[in-house]
Amino acid sequence: MAVSVGIDLGTTFSAVAYVDPQTKTPKIIPNSEGNKITPSIIQFINGKPVFGSEAESAFAASEPGCVATFKRNMGKTDVYCTIDGTPYTAEDLSALLLRHLKEDAEAELGDKIKDAVITVPAYFYSPEREATLKAAAAAGLKVKKIIDEPNAATMAYGLNNWRENANILVYDLGGGTFDVTLTRMGKDGELTSITTRGDYYLGGRDWDDRIEIILIEKFADETGIETSSNPITKAMIRGLTEGVKKQLSTMETAKVTATILDYGVASVVITKKEFEERTKDLIDRTGALCQAVLEEAELSLRDVTDVLLVGGSTRMPQVSQYIFNMFGKKPITHVNPDEAVALGAAIQATKENESYTKLSVQVMSDGKKVTDRASSGLSTRAVIKPLKKLSSIGLLSLRETTAHAMGIVAINDEGNRYYNEIIIPANHPRPVRAAKRFRFYTLPKSKNELEIYVLQGDSMNPLDCVIPYKYVVTGIQHVNKGEKIGTVIRVQYSYDENGIIHIQARQGYAEVDLPIRKDDVPSNISRFGQPVVNDQPGQKPSLGLQLGRGVSHNVVHKYKAITFSNVEWKKYDNIAFHPSGAAFNEPSVHIIANEKAIEFHGYNVSAMDEGVSYTINADDNFEIECDINTSTIQPHPGGNVKITLGIITASLNENGGQIRLDGETVVKVGPKFKLKMSLTEGGHYKVYTNGKLAGSKVKPSMGGIDVCFGLAHDEHCCHILSHAYISNISMKQRMNQNMEDDSSETETWES
Ligand code: ADP
Ligand code: MG
């Protein structure tokens, strides 16, 4: 029976693990030398790759034909090195290493590898992830999934140390990269990564570099010889650095002896204290990133339940000390930092992949789009339950988040500046899809191609983001009168389960995708930082990505988010009869409506119908979500809360009630529930209760559509008082009044 494995494809070391079918626990598969980790180093001898300790020592001795740390160049298409006339990209080298890891593991297991989960830094952009997939394919490996290293580590840790509601900060300092990820342990083994950040250029090697600087200084003091000016001595010193660093992890001092050209044997001593002083700025950078991750998650240092150390560089005592000073608690150390990632990947390899999640975006007051964590169920702060061991790996599940926001280059409203229009915010659960609809103006006898520059990053300035891809949507049919009204193109953007970006497009409401071409991203993209140059002078630049000549009017994706307060709600009251003897100081009826809530209070009145309403256009896209609580309405004869969006109507008393769609009951509800109503595409009505679709109907309308929240009593006298509450209101509206402004979200589709 073939085996599923987990592979930690590290910058400096790699490891392979599987779940032992007997013990049902994850285990490292030792390599052919009996070691649990394999250096990510290759030496080419007469064109043949050699791995393991042989390659490692050759590399340390600066022998020719050695390559290492190629992972740092993953996703770059340029040649990483040329050995004996053969050029290799980072992907080629990774493929060779993966094939070696696979063959070693198969030999050890005496079995074939069926498929693998491979880990990558959380911070890897889409092209790096793609390159990892391609390298695996070239190595003859079937990839089940790519997961983020910190998540893998938490899975391995969580198996034996589950604490419901705990926030675990994973601090992964490897050889070349640093990643911090905040993950939450949910109910029943549900692990969710909340926020993640990384620094591509921070790792053990930077500490090695500092040792090198110190050694060069010390040898110069000792011998009067500048060792760095001679390439051979320089390489020799370089070769010593990592060993010295590791020695300082366990000893207070390290004595370094070397034969210096034109001098002879010389010795110098480095103390742990001076090493730590000379690397303080590096460790501070890790701390700043931890802070950034917490800020993004809106948590304080105290909210971190535990800090999990991953990566070989966390063996430096200064790391644990730093964490202790920062968080006031010791980090978790009983997980082997070299093995945790591969073990977690092995657990994931026994699992099915997650399904797509819904996009939930919140627009901040400054217009910035962030993940709406509340609606993705990630914001609950709850009491941490006691530590336990999960009874089986089957209980563990993982929901990962995107490290980078995905956006596109768009043109601002004034038509003079390029900006990053974020489609999927950073730290959004994945896999996730989002689709946007917009108007595209076709021309007869023209190519009618649509260019999309994808961005990864948070900044509004496209130049501060990574541009991983340029896509060109082709095959768009010219529509008569296209010049004037254009055609609708729906573009779907997704982050798949591997964190890889995909773009699809459809014309109008067609069920088939338009062909998409991937072009090279131009090497000079500085124009995105400059004012927009209009192709047709004298004309206001059309909204959208007006990029490239010959292409008519391109993309824009804009929508207006509204808050309760910037909509003009109309108050209506229709109180027919006030019974006498009202001994209340309060007004008979009042409604308090503010940003987040509507409260209804009715006092000793009868035959009333009072509330707030708002009218939208039939072709506006509108969505409202809120929490309803009508349990406080006084029984007998009671009142009814009435809620309406066009043909959706709800009538609720203290026991709940019914929701109707065009007069037909689609769901019965209790007094407390979550309600979502939407009207899109000029007549698509949908109603959801507690997150579940209760009903949908298409009914185009000509006139205005009313959105109402009201409280009604019939002709009875209401005893004392009645209350009802609608809270946590969130609304979105995309106005379609003018054609230039109709870019809006639309339904996603399966790939
Ligand atoms: P990666 O994930 O980038 O492949 P690893 O997690 O394997 O990296 O960590 C490798 C790094 O850990 C190297 O820079 C190595 O020097 C460092 N390292 C390993 N052991 C120790 C130690 N005992 N003390 C200090 N640094 C160490
Ligand atoms: Mg690692």
Side-chain angles (χ1 to χ4, degrees):
M1 233 196 48
V3 188
S4 295
V5 296
I7 303 178
D8 170 6
L9 185 64
T11 315
T12 39
F13 286 100
S14 297
V16 188
Y18 78 125
V19 171
D20 184 327
Q22 251 87 55
T23 60
K24 306 264 193 300
T25 51
K27 255 168 97 172
I28 293 285
I29 306 169
N31 65 18
S32 52
E33 297 178 88
N35 294 327
K36 290 187 162 182
I37 54 176
T38 302
S40 303
I41 299 174
I42 309 175
Q43 183 184 23
F44 290 92
I45 301 176
N46 302 323
K48 260 196 69 179
V50 174
F51 302 87
S53 49
E54 199 182 328
E56 190 180 23
S57 352
F59 178 71
S62 302
E63 279 180 31
C66 294
V67 271
T69 58
F70 40 85
K71 182 173 162 181
R72 277 186 166 180
N73 273 50
M74 271 314 245
K76 297 210 175 97
T77 45
D78 42 344
V79 170
Y80 182 75
C81 62
T82 301
I83 294 172
D84 299 332
T86 312
Y88 297 95
T89 61
E91 187 184 308
D92 298 334
L93 297 165
S94 302
L96 291 172
L97 177 59
L98 279 169
R99 182 174 289 277
H100 168 74
L101 295 171
K102 171 178 179 274
E103 286 170 357
D104 255 17
E106 285 179 339
E108 171 69 23
L109 294 170
D111 203 345
K112 286 274 163 221
I113 289 177
K114 183 170 78 186
D115 50 18
V117 166
I118 302 182
T119 60
V120 297
Y123 212 58
F124 255 19
Y125 291 88
S126 183
E128 282 101 308
R129 291 167 187 268
E130 243 185 319
T132 307
L133 276 190
K134 285 193 205 144
L141 271 171
K142 185 168 166 248
V143 177
K144 194 165 186 185
K145 196 182 176 195
I146 287 182
I147 65 171
D148 295 349
E149 287 159 10
N151 297 337
T154 340
M155 271 185 122
Y157 167 71
L159 186 60
N160 294 319
N161 306 278
W162 197 263
R163 289 175 80 183
E164 198 174 314
N165 302 325
N167 294 316
I168 310 288
L169 187 106
V170 187
Y171 179 107
D172 181 357
L173 188 60
T177 54
F178 174 63
D179 263 328
V180 210
T181 304
L182 190 80
T183 54
R184 190 188 303 266
M185 291 183 168
K187 250 185 131 133
D188 309 326
E190 264 175 36
L191 196 71
T192 320
S193 69
I194 310 282
T195 50
T196 180
R197 286 258 185 158
D199 190 334
Y200 249 20
Y201 294 96
L202 185 61
R205 268 170 60 120
D206 298 295
W207 271 262
D208 299 347
D209 290 349
R210 292 293 161 85
I211 298 260
E212 186 179 339
I213 294 169
I214 301 172
L215 284 180
I216 289 170
E217 277 174 22
K218 294 213 170 202
F219 278 115
D221 283 352
E222 183 70 19
T223 65
I225 290 171
E226 199 52 62
T227 51
S228 57
S229 50
N230 180 310
I232 296 171
T233 4
K234 189 170 158 49
M236 184 265 300
I237 300 248
R238 174 80 217 168
L240 296 171
T241 53
E242 196 185 358
V244 173
K245 176 185 74 177
K246 287 185 177 171
Q247 208 176 325
L248 290 172
S249 287
T250 47
M251 321 254 272
E252 290 304 311
T253 56
K255 187 173 173 194
V256 189
T257 306
T259 309
I260 309 290
L261 215 70
D262 301 329
Y263 181 85
V265 177
S267 296
V268 294
V269 170
I270 301 186
T271 66
K272 187 159 108 190
K273 188 158 171 280
E274 69 187 312
F275 173 52
E276 290 181 356
E277 274 164 11
R278 298 283 294 263
T279 51
K280 188 168 179 309
D281 60 309
L282 297 176
I283 197 107
D284 281 342
R285 274 165 67 191
T286 71
L289 221 54
C290 292
Q291 289 280 13
V293 155
L294 289 177
E295 246 165 61
E296 242 167 294
E298 291 168 36
L299 293 178
S300 70
L301 290 165
R302 270 180 304 129
D303 295 319
V304 173
T305 318
D306 272 313
V307 179
L308 178 62
L309 298 184
V310 186
S313 297
T314 60
R315 290 215 170 82
M316 294 186 293
Q318 58 176 300
V319 171
S320 293
Q321 189 57 48
Y322 189 82
I323 297 290
F324 182 77
N325 292 346
M326 186 169 173
F327 291 90
K329 60 186 107 190
K330 284 194 180 137
I332 299 160
T333 50
H334 53 277
V335 175
N336 186 328
D338 295 329
E339 298 173 9
V341 173
L343 294 174
I347 298 174
Q348 181 63 40
T350 64
K351 305 195 166 287
E352 291 311 313
N353 291 346
E354 301 71 40
S355 51
Y356 275 77
T357 163
K358 195 186 129 238
L359 184 74
S360 36
V361 179
Q362 199 181 351
V363 183
M364 308 306 279
S365 51
D366 61 357
K368 194 175 162 151
K369 288 183 200 149
V370 299
T371 298
D372 185 350
R373 253 182 237 113
S375 70
S376 9
L378 298 179
S379 72
T380 47
R381 277 179 208 223
V383 180
I384 299 161
K385 304 252 172 90
L387 195 79
K388 69 173 184 190
K389 201 172 145 80
L390 293 179
S391 53
S392 99
I393 56 166
L395 280 179
L396 268 174
S397 69
L398 174 66
R399 173 66 79 180
E400 299 188 281
T401 62
T402 60
H404 310 284
M406 180 210 302
I408 55 154
V409 179
I411 294 176
N412 66 344
D413 282 351
E414 291 72 39
N416 55 13
R417 192 174 53 78
Y418 296 102
Y419 76 100
N420 173 15
E421 170 72 32
I422 291 178
I423 312 240
I424 300 173
N427 300 311
H428 195 286
R430 68 161 195 255
V432 59
R433 291 192 186 101
K436 300 265 183 175
R437 189 165 61 123
F438 59 90
R439 207 163 289 272
F440 180 80
Y441 301 88
T442 58
L443 291 171
K445 298 194 201 85
S446 162
K447 262 204 197 145
N448 290 322
E449 292 186 338
L450 171 67
E451 296 179 348
I452 298 172
Y453 285 82
V454 176
L455 297 171
Q456 283 193 282
D458 244 351
S459 170
M460 285 293 275
N461 180 356
L463 298 188
D464 293 338
C465 301
V466 166
I467 305 190
Y469 307 111
K470 175 192 170 186
Y471 290 105
V472 182
V473 179
T474 64
I476 300 170
Q477 298 291 317
H478 171 59
V479 203
N480 277 338
K481 292 183 281 173
E483 185 65 55
K484 237 172 150 189
I485 57 165
T487 176
V488 168
I489 305 284
R490 291 174 295 147
V491 178
Q492 173 162 284
Y493 307 83
S494 42
Y495 263 121
D496 71 10
E497 62 276 15
N498 301 320
I500 294 172
I501 290 173
H502 299 274
I503 301 283
Q504 291 159 278
R506 291 180 172 184
Q507 184 165 12
Y509 290 88
E511 298 278 298
V512 286
D513 289 5
L514 289 165
I516 293 188
R517 188 176 77 227
K518 215 180 199 176
D519 277 5
D520 288 342
V521 177
S523 51
N524 184 359
I525 46 140
S526 58
R527 68 183 159 133
F528 292 143
Q530 289 155 13
V532 175
V533 182
N534 194 0
D535 278 352
Q536 293 132 312
Q539 256 187 19
K540 179 173 168 270
S542 57
L543 289 163
L545 288 183
Q546 199 185 22
L547 307 174
R549 268 155 226 285
V551 178
S552 60
H553 314 267
N554 282 344
V555 192
V556 70
H557 295 288
K558 290 191 302 148
Y559 74 92
K560 290 191 173 123
I562 55 165
T563 64
F564 194 80
S565 56
N566 66 17
V567 169
E568 259 193 52
W569 291 88
K570 284 190 295 277
K571 195 169 169 186
Y572 64 90
D573 45 41
N574 176 14
I575 300 165
F577 170 50
H578 290 248
S580 55
F584 296 98
N585 293 330
E586 307 274 353
S588 321
V589 181
H590 64 220
I591 289 179
I592 304 165
N594 59 35
E595 187 78 21
K596 280 274 166 200
I598 311 175
E599 288 177 29
F600 302 94
H601 303 273
Y603 299 93
N604 204 23
V605 291
S606 194
M608 73 148 200
D609 189 4
E610 159 131 6
V612 287
S613 77
Y614 172 54
T615 309
I616 58 175
N617 287 325
D619 60 349
D620 287 347
N621 285 350
F622 184 84
E623 185 183 294
I624 184 159
E625 280 181 82
C626 52
D627 292 343
I628 308 273
N629 182 359
T630 58
S631 64
T632 46
I633 292 178
Q634 281 285 321
H636 184 69
N640 274 288
V641 167
K642 297 227 152 80
I643 301 171
T644 320
L645 166 64
I647 61 166
I648 304 172
T649 54
S651 177
L652 312 161
N653 63 22
E654 69 275 15
N655 300 315
Q658 299 180 349
I659 297 177
R660 295 192 182 86
L661 200 55
D662 209 14
E664 301 219 8
T665 299
V666 288
V667 67
K668 289 202 167 85
V669 289
K672 288 186 195 175
F673 65 101
K674 280 189 190 304
L675 176 68
K676 178 175 158 186
M677 303 185 289
S678 67
L679 168 62
T680 55
E681 294 166 24
H684 249 94
Y685 287 93
K686 282 190 179 161
V687 58
Y688 299 79
T689 52
N690 297 324
K692 267 178 44 197
L693 184 68
S696 69
K697 182 156 184 166
V698 179
K699 189 166 188 184
S701 161
M702 292 290 123
I705 309 267
D706 283 338
V707 186
C708 306
F709 292 90
L711 183 64
H713 279 284
D714 52 22
E715 294 260 350
H716 296 275
C717 193
C718 174
H719 278 326
I720 24 173
L721 74 164
S722 249
H723 307 291
Y725 302 95
I726 297 173
S727 53
N728 283 324
I729 301 167
S730 84
M731 287 196 295
K732 274 195 267 179
Q733 182 180 12
R734 274 83 62 170
M735 279 166 250
N736 292 350
Q737 298 114 328
N738 78 52
M739 263 186 247
E740 289 184 340
D741 197 21
D742 66 348
S743 307
S744 60
E745 280 163 42
T746 183
E747 296 285 296
T748 59
W749 62 91
E750 303 264 313
S751 304

